[in-house]
């Protein structure tokens, strides 16, 4: 490309970039939270069973933690996923008190 054309192309690109920064294109994406589900009902994979029930792993772990007067990160943070972990047999115990400092966003 000849030198003069290259300069013109660079100047044109710089001008276009400057215009986009000064006046960005109005772009709004608003998700719909009230849109109906396809077919009128939620899919099967969307539903999750609540943890617990007599004899479940969650219930046994809850009883063990309560009996030992242990504090868990799950309880302190009111974690919405605690049922999944506890049903799998996992709980995070706090050893130095009952104040959690992890900063989870729950």
């Amino acid at each position: 490309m000849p030198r003069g054309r290259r300069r013109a192309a660079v100047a044109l690109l710089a001008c276009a970039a400057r215009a986009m920064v000064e006046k960005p294109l109005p772009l709004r994406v608003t998700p719909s939270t009230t849109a109906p589900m396809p077919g009128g009902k939620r899919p099967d994979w969307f539903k999750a069973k609540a943890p617990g029930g007599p004899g479940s792993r969650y219930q046994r772990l809850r009883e063990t933690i309560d009996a030992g007067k242990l504090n868990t990160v799950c309880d302190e943070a009111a974690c919405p996923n605690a049922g999944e972990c506890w049903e799998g047999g996992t709980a995070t115990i706090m050893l130095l008190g009952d104040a959690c400092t992890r900063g989870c966003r729950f």
Side-chain angles (χ1 to χ4, degrees):
M1 178 183 270
R3 197 171 193 184
R5 283 189 182 174
R6 187 177 305 142
R7 281 187 185 162
V10 168
L12 181 62
L13 285 173
C15 181
R18 216 175 302 115
M20 289 179 75
V21 169
E22 291 171 2
K23 292 183 181 180
L25 296 174
L27 179 65
R28 285 193 183 154
V29 177
T30 308
S32 174
T33 57
T34 59
M37 292 297 288
K41 71 178 218 176
R42 294 185 175 119
D44 292 336
W45 57 264
F46 191 76
K47 299 173 186 173
K49 291 185 177 187
S56 69
R57 201 171 201 180
Y58 174 88
Q59 188 63 35
R60 290 192 314 255
L61 190 56
R62 166 58 52 198
E63 290 167 0
T64 303
I65 288 171
D66 289 344
K69 297 181 183 173
L70 299 171
N71 299 305
T72 66
V73 172
C74 314
D75 287 336
E76 179 67 21
C79 179
N81 302 319
E84 273 184 60
C85 298
W86 289 28
E87 196 62 47
T90 304
T92 305
I93 309 282
M94 295 189 294
L95 299 176
L96 300 175
D98 63 351
C100 181
T101 58
R102 283 188 65 173
C104 300
R105 309 242 173 188
F106 298 124

